[in-house]
Amino acid sequence: MKCRSVLVGIASAVSLLLAGCGGSGSGSTENLPKNAADAGGMDALLAKAKEEGEVSLYAATTEKSTTAWVKHFEKKYGIQVKVYRDGSTTLFQKWAQEVSGGVDNADIVIQNVYQLWQDAKDKGWITDYKTENYGGYDFAEVLPGTGLAGLVYPLHQSIGAVAWNTKVTTPEQRALLRKDPVAALADPAFKGRIALGDSGGATTAGNYANVILHQADTYGWKWLEGVADNDPALFESQIPIAEQLVKGEYAVTFGTDTLYNDYIADGAPIEYAYPKPTNAALWMIGLPTATPHPYAARLFMEWATSDEGHDLMATYGTGTGTRTGWTDKRAIAKEPWYAKPEVWYGMATQPELQGDGFADFVSRVNATLGK
């Protein structure tokens, strides 16, 4: 089934915020600690967090990985984590509507859309908190020019990749994909064999921005027109695309590496290759300005950004880590066809995507693919 609403969700969320879903909640962090030392040290922070007894997590990471991840925090500290999970844009819309209405339900928010985090920063919805592992992240590399350092922390990253089924592609098609996976999507050899998604997906938006805007001289809008000529099937979610690609219903997709690592580990006939450079969708964690459990929230931020918490999320999410010194020990990195990606982190500061430009870009992508 085809769906012509690719990327609409992400544009709608940005439009909702820019339209004036204002306010900064019902409280502030003026008298709350800006780091563990302000709380009297980690032991004092832990004691206050235990008094609160729970933490409310709004997470756009997958249910499976999030559930497994938070169990480590609960076991270590004896503090219950209540999880509300949804896609990044719908989750962020819920949080934004609550905050603008003076309701503070979220202690922690995790999502992967730069533009939404930047708008939250501008509206004062997230607060600056320096965890003890603040220095373990190269913010200048992974969040260049965003002004988000210390307001959000990267947990792990999903990286844009062109994936294909090795059983339903011909040797000639696989040669095209390995030579230049991006250009291959516009080759007539793949007409009717491509699936694309997802609406509201930061990886998909970043994939297009990287190829169309950042690499305009090589690909640009002309490339997207060529992809559209191949009559791709368009889906609202990358998840059914992955399922159908594994089954051989489609031959190739432009999606994210993390969706396929578990399938490949189970023996699925899937390979993928990264554009050079490729976009990274960072899963970022932020601390709302006003929270129902401020000390438990800060303790969770400390744990999540520690080497332990970070590496556990990267493992469960099957993505690459973002802390300095992270070592890639994943099974996928040992595959003979795997090549380490060269990552582009410039989506947040790409000139054409600033302000209303992001929604305009998404609309043009939709219109082009929908022809």
Side-chain angles (χ1 to χ4, degrees):
M1 173 176 137
K2 292 195 176 184
C3 173
R4 299 298 179 186
S5 60
V6 175
L7 298 178
V8 167
I10 193 170
S12 298
V14 173
S15 298
L16 171 69
L17 295 175
L18 295 177
C21 188
S24 58
S26 60
S28 73
T29 58
E30 183 178 350
N31 298 315
L32 291 171
K34 298 294 185 182
N35 51 55
D38 284 352
M42 283 298 295
D43 289 343
L45 180 62
L46 174 58
K48 292 177 181 177
K50 281 183 172 291
E51 288 178 7
E52 293 174 343
E54 65 181 47
V55 63
S56 173
L57 171 63
Y58 281 28
T61 41
T62 65
E63 182 176 0
K64 179 181 177 181
S65 62
T66 306
T67 300
W69 184 54
V70 301
K71 283 182 179 178
H72 290 269
F73 176 84
E74 292 175 328
K75 182 177 180 180
K76 184 170 186 174
Y77 296 112
I79 296 172
Q80 182 183 9
V81 181
K82 294 186 176 180
V83 179
Y84 171 80
R85 207 214 69 78
D86 209 331
S88 285
T89 52
T90 50
L91 178 144
F92 210 84
Q93 285 176 11
K94 171 181 167 64
W95 178 51
Q97 288 166 349
E98 289 175 349
V99 173
S100 63
V103 178
D104 305 309
N105 287 335
D107 286 310
I108 297 291
V109 176
I110 299 173
Q111 62 93 24
N112 67 350
V113 182
Y114 282 114
Q115 283 75 11
L116 297 179
W117 278 129
Q118 289 178 311
D119 202 65
K121 177 196 73 170
D122 294 342
K123 288 182 167 62
W125 293 348
I126 48 177
T127 192
D128 187 355
Y129 183 80
K130 297 284 194 304
T131 71
E132 290 196 328
N133 204 31
Y134 176 85
Y137 295 84
D138 187 349
F139 290 101
E141 178 186 359
V142 298
L143 293 171
T146 63
L148 291 171
L151 292 170
V152 300
Y153 291 77
L155 289 175
H156 75 102
Q157 55 193 352
S158 301
I159 299 179
V162 175
W164 61 90
N165 186 306
T166 58
K167 284 191 175 180
V168 300
T169 48
T170 67
E172 292 76 17
Q173 289 174 328
R174 292 194 293 275
L176 289 171
L177 289 162
R178 289 164 181 156
K179 180 180 179 181
D180 187 335
V182 175
L185 293 172
D187 193 289
F190 292 99
K191 188 175 182 65
R193 304 294 292 136
I194 301 171
L196 297 175
D198 67 53
S199 65
T203 304
T204 295
N207 287 346
Y208 289 136
N210 174 39
V211 172
I212 297 170
L213 302 177
H214 180 234
Q215 300 185 69
D217 292 343
T218 304
Y219 304 109
W221 289 106
K222 198 72 176 176
W223 166 82
L224 189 66
E225 292 170 4
V227 175
D229 287 340
N230 276 338
D231 195 26
L234 307 178
F235 290 77
E236 290 187 347
S237 171
Q238 286 278 355
I239 293 174
I241 292 178
E243 295 170 349
Q244 295 198 43
L245 192 76
V246 169
K247 294 177 182 178
E249 297 294 327
Y250 294 96
V252 61
T253 187
F254 195 1
T256 173
D257 57 357
T258 51
L259 266 181
Y260 295 94
N261 292 336
D262 285 342
Y263 282 115
I264 293 168
D266 290 337
I270 300 294
E271 289 185 18
Y272 58 74
Y274 298 116
K276 296 179 181 179
T278 187
N279 171 69
L282 289 172
W283 292 97
M284 294 166 276
I285 185 169
L287 175 65
T289 301
T291 66
H293 310 100
Y295 290 95
R298 282 158 174 75
L299 180 66
F300 193 91
M301 286 289 290
E302 291 286 354
W303 175 78
T305 60
S306 69
D307 290 356
E308 175 192 356
H310 167 277
D311 290 0
L312 283 167
M313 174 52 82
T315 298
Y316 287 123
T318 75
T320 53
T322 52
R323 69 174 177 84
T324 303
W326 179 78
T327 301
D328 192 350
K329 299 178 181 179
R330 300 173 304 155
I332 196 70
K334 299 178 176 62
E335 291 287 342
W337 48 263
Y338 182 87
K340 183 179 178 180
E342 173 191 340
V343 180
W344 173 67
Y345 292 105
M347 181 182 172
T349 54
Q350 186 72 27
E352 297 93 332
L353 300 178
Q354 303 311 303
D356 292 338
F358 185 82
D360 293 341
F361 171 74
V362 169
S363 295
R364 184 173 175 183
V365 170
N366 289 336
T368 303
L369 289 174
K371 69 179 181 180

